[in-house]
Amino acid sequence: MKTDRDLNYRLYIQRNDGFTRSPFERELNVYRLIRAGDTEAVRELFEKLRSTFFVGKGTLSEDPVRNTMYHFVTSVAMVSRFCVEGGLGHDTAYTLSDIYIQRADKLNDVEKIVDLFLEMQLDFAERMKTLKKENVISIHVRKCIDYIYEHLHEELTLKVLSEQTGLNSSYLSKLFSRETGMSVKSFIIKAKVATAENLLTDSEFSCLEISLALGFSSQSAFISVFRKEKGMTPKKYREQYYLKVLDEKENRRKLQK
C-alpha cells in the first residue's frame, strides 16, 4: 500500500508522544444521544468535554482553524446519518448538514467553530425530539426504542427492556410488535446493522472495532448478522458505498461554491 510508510511513521510518532485517541464508545454515545433527541444530555456532555475538546482527536491539518473545520465536517456527516437512520427525513438531514458546513466555512476562529459544534448537535437533537413526539407510539414502546439506541453496545434482551418499562415481558413483546411491526429482537438487530452501515460509510473504524462497539459477541457474529440483513459482508459494503459517499460529499461541496 502506498500509505504504509506514512502510516507506520505517524503511528510511531504518536506512540512516542503518548497520544491516545478518544474511546470509540464516547464518540458513539454523543451520536446516540442526538438521535434519541435528548437535548439536555447533549448539552451537559458537550459542556463537560469542552475543556478537553481536542484531546484524543487526530491532527487533520497543521492550521488550527482548518483542523477544527475538518473535525466539524466529519461530525456533521455522522450526526446527519444517525438522525436519518432514526427517522429524520433524508433531504432535511443532509440539507441541514450543508447549511452548517457552509456556516463553519465562513468562520476563522477555533472557539467559534467549537461553539457551532454544540449549536449543530442541539439543532439535530431538537428535531429528533420533535419527530418522536409526532409519532403515534405508546410511552412504553418509545422508552424501549430510546433505551435500545442508547445501549446498543450492551446486551439487549426482552427481560432487560421489561425491567426498564416495568411491564410484563410477554405483554411488552406483544405491544412492541403491534406498534412497530416487528419483534424486539428484530428491531435490535436492525438498529445495530443500521448503525454499522453509518460507521462503515462515514468512518474508518475497523469491523472489529464496530462489532465491539455494537455489543456483538465476536467479529464473526457481527459479520454473520450483517450479511444476513444486507446480503453482503461489512467489508464488501464498505467497498461498495464508502467511495459513493465520498463522491456525494464532493458533489455537494462543488454545488456550495
Side-chain angles (χ1 to χ4, degrees):
M1 302 288 287
K2 295 181 179 179
T3 56
D4 280 351
R5 183 175 180 180
D6 190 28
L7 174 62
N8 291 331
Y9 173 72
R10 294 197 180 197
L11 289 174
Y12 170 76
I13 294 298
Q14 288 176 5
R15 284 194 295 270
N16 277 3
D17 292 343
F19 173 76
T20 303
R21 290 189 182 276
S22 300
F24 183 33
E25 186 55 41
R26 190 177 84 174
E27 183 178 342
L28 274 182
N29 186 46
V30 175
Y31 302 138
R32 289 170 183 148
L33 291 174
I34 294 172
R35 179 171 56 192
D38 194 338
T39 54
E40 289 305 311
V42 170
R43 183 187 297 277
E44 289 177 8
L45 183 59
F46 187 89
E47 295 300 342
K48 178 181 178 182
L49 299 175
R50 178 162 187 150
S51 61
T52 57
F53 187 81
F54 291 101
V55 175
K57 284 183 169 61
T59 300
L60 306 181
S61 172
E62 295 301 324
D63 179 84
V65 173
R66 288 173 65 86
N67 181 57
T68 310
M69 175 63 183
Y70 290 150
H71 281 294
F72 182 84
V73 171
T74 301
S75 179
V76 173
M78 290 297 291
V79 168
S80 60
R81 289 185 68 81
F82 266 69
C83 289
V84 167
E85 183 275 325
L88 189 63
H90 180 275
D91 288 342
T92 297
Y94 287 114
T95 301
L96 191 60
S97 170
D98 293 344
I99 289 171
Y100 274 105
I101 291 174
Q102 290 171 10
R103 288 179 60 183
D105 190 46
K106 295 177 182 178
L107 299 176
N108 294 304
D109 181 88
V110 170
E111 288 303 313
K112 289 183 179 179
I113 299 177
V114 173
D115 287 338
L116 195 61
F117 264 93
L118 176 59
E119 183 180 337
M120 176 272 293
Q121 291 179 2
L122 289 175
D123 192 344
F124 273 95
E126 187 62 44
R127 291 171 191 276
M128 294 304 295
K129 186 176 183 179
T130 301
L131 179 66
K132 290 181 179 183
K133 288 180 180 178
E134 294 172 349
N135 291 335
V136 184
I137 296 180
S138 69
I139 187 172
H140 296 298
V141 173
R142 171 49 55 195
K143 189 172 183 179
C144 279
I145 292 175
D146 288 345
Y147 187 87
I148 288 170
Y149 279 122
E150 292 168 15
H151 296 81
L152 286 178
H153 58 294
E154 300 176 4
E155 182 180 3
L156 293 166
T157 64
L158 182 59
K159 182 176 183 297
V160 169
L161 294 176
S162 66
E163 291 174 352
Q164 292 297 318
T165 59
L167 297 179
N168 173 274
S169 295
S170 178
Y171 176 73
L172 177 60
S173 177
K174 293 177 182 178
L175 180 66
F176 193 96
S177 295
R178 183 169 69 244
E179 295 193 12
T180 66
M182 67 183 78
S183 68
V184 169
K185 183 178 180 180
S186 295
F187 188 94
I188 292 171
I189 289 175
K190 289 185 180 300
K192 290 192 175 189
V193 169
T195 299
E197 288 181 77
N198 293 340
L199 296 172
L200 288 167
T201 54
D202 273 316
S203 80
E204 295 182 359
F205 292 114
S206 68
C207 286
L208 177 58
E209 289 175 311
I210 293 174
S211 66
L212 292 175
L214 293 178
F216 286 94
S217 59
S218 65
Q219 183 176 345
S220 59
F222 165 56
I223 293 173
S224 177
V225 169
F226 193 93
R227 182 192 289 119
K228 184 175 180 180
E229 286 291 312
K230 306 306 298 183
M232 67 181 77
T233 64
K235 180 181 179 182
K236 183 66 176 178
Y237 186 90
R238 169 167 274 167
E239 291 173 348
Q240 183 169 326
Y241 292 101
Y242 186 63
L243 291 178
K244 180 180 178 181
V245 171
L246 290 180
D247 288 340
E248 290 176 351
K249 290 179 181 177
E250 179 62 19
N251 289 335
R252 290 203 299 273
R253 187 186 66 78
K254 290 179 179 178
L255 289 173
Q256 292 168 9
K257 291 184 175 181

